[in-house]
Amino acid sequence: AQSVTQLDSQVPVFEEAPVELRCNYSSSVSVYLFWYVQYPNQGLQLLLKYLSGSTLVKGINGFEAEFNKSQTSFHLRKPSVHISDTAEYFCAVSVSLLGNAGNMLTFGGGTRLMVKP
Amino acid sequence: KAGVTQTPRYLIKTRGQQVTLSCSPISGHRSVSWYQQTPGQGLQFLFEYFSETQRNKGNFPGRFSGRQFSNSRSEMNVSTLELGDSALYLCASSLGAGRSLETQYFGPGTRLLVL
C-alpha cells in the first residue's frame, strides 16, 4: 500500500517571499504524483503532476515541483507568493500497475498555506 | 466544456436517515470516483465507477454504496447516517482508460451535515 506525508500542516509566509511545501511518499511500486489546491468552500484543482520524464515539473500559477526518487519526495515550490495563494494544498499519489487498475488517489493530510501582507 | 457538477451542494440530515448525492462528470469522461473529506481523516477514497461497474473500493462500511448510469452520471448513497458521516463529499471524473496516470477533475463537493 502507498502513503503520503505532508510534513507541515500549516505554513505561514509573507507576500512575495518564496515557499516550499513538503511531500514525502511511500510505495513499493512506481507512482504518479500530483499536487492539488483547494480554495475555501471549493473542490480540488490540479496544480501539476509528475508522470515520467523530467523531474522538474511546472504547473499553473507559477508553482513547480521536483520529483526525487531517492528521497521519495515531491516538494512544491513557488519563488514569490501572493495573497491569493492562500489555500490548502494536497499532495497525492496514484500507483502504476499493469492492466486496467483504475484510478484511485491517496492523499496527504494537506498543508494550509497562509500568505500574510 | 462544463466541469464536474454535484448536487445538492449542501444537505442537512438527522441520524438514521439515508442520503443520495449526485455527480455529473465532464462530458466524455467515463470514470467517476468519490472521496470523503473530513477534518480528522482528511481525504479518503470511497469508490470508483467505470462503465456502470464498481472498479475500485476504499475501506468504508457497506452503508456507503454507489452506482453509475449509462450516461456516466453517478450517485452515492449513505444509509443509516451517523454523526461521523458529516463531511464534504467530492466527486472526480476522468477519461477512464484505466491508467493510473489519468488526471482526475474534481467537482465542488456536497457538504453533508448529520445532526
Side-chain angles (χ1 to χ4, degrees):
Chain A
Q2 60 279 2
S3 66
V4 180
T5 302
Q6 291 184 241
L7 297 159
D8 306 295
S9 59
Q10 293 186 72
V11 173
V13 63
F14 286 105
E15 194 173 19
E16 297 183 9
V19 71
E20 179 179 80
L21 306 184
R22 297 180 292 169
C23 171
N24 285 88
Y25 68 92
S26 161
S27 176
S28 57
V29 298
S30 296
V31 297
Y32 303 114
L33 296 152
F34 304 82
W35 274 99
Y36 283 87
V37 60
Q38 186 177 36
Y39 298 101
N41 299 314
Q42 293 187 29
L44 302 175
Q45 180 183 3
L46 180 70
L47 275 177
L48 48 79
K49 59 187 176 184
Y50 172 78
L51 304 179
S52 65
S54 172
T55 57
L56 183 63
V57 181
K58 293 191 183 298
I60 62 171
N61 300 341
F63 284 95
E64 63 180 32
E66 185 152 21
F67 171 59
N68 188 319
K69 189 175 182 179
S70 62
Q71 296 188 3
T72 59
S73 68
F74 190 53
H75 301 333
L76 180 71
R77 294 191 289 258
K78 186 169 183 177
S80 174
V81 295
H82 302 131
I83 295 286
S84 59
D85 292 324
T86 295
E88 185 125 23
Y89 291 78
F90 292 94
C91 181
V93 302
S94 180
V95 297
S96 171
L97 296 171
L98 294 176
N100 192 10
N103 211 342
M104 180 181 81
L105 290 170
T106 299
F107 285 91
T111 297
R112 187 173 298 279
L113 177 63
M114 299 174 293
V115 181
K116 299 181 284 187
Chain B
K1 268 186 183 176
V4 179
T5 58
Q6 293 187 245
T7 57
R9 291 293 310 277
Y10 303 93
L11 207 47
I12 299 176
K13 292 285 188 179
T14 56
R15 277 182 301 173
Q17 286 187 310
Q18 74 165 14
V19 68
T20 299
L21 312 181
S22 180
C23 171
S24 292
I26 292 171
S27 177
H29 284 193
R30 298 170 64 195
S31 167
V32 173
S33 298
W34 289 89
Y35 294 83
Q36 182 196 63
Q37 185 178 23
T38 60
Q41 300 299 316
L43 277 155
Q44 294 184 285
F45 172 77
L46 279 156
F47 28 63
E48 181 205 4
Y49 285 87
F50 174 74
S51 289
E52 303 178 61
T53 301
Q54 189 180 86
R55 187 158 65 176
N56 283 299
K57 188 179 189 305
N59 189 24
F60 277 82
R63 299 185 297 108
F64 292 82
S65 63
R67 60 177 176 168
Q68 187 180 34
F69 302 95
S70 58
N71 62 357
S72 295
R73 189 177 70 84
S74 176
E75 289 181 347
M76 69 163 280
N77 183 276
V78 188
S79 62
T80 321
L81 283 166
E82 300 177 0
L83 295 179
D85 297 332
S86 294
L88 180 67
Y89 290 89
L90 292 164
C91 166
S93 77
S94 64
L95 286 169
R99 298 179 297 169
S100 300
L101 53 73
E102 283 186 1
T103 297
Q104 293 190 47
Y105 297 88
F106 285 79
T110 294
R111 187 165 295 281
L112 171 65
L113 176 61
V114 182
L115 301 175

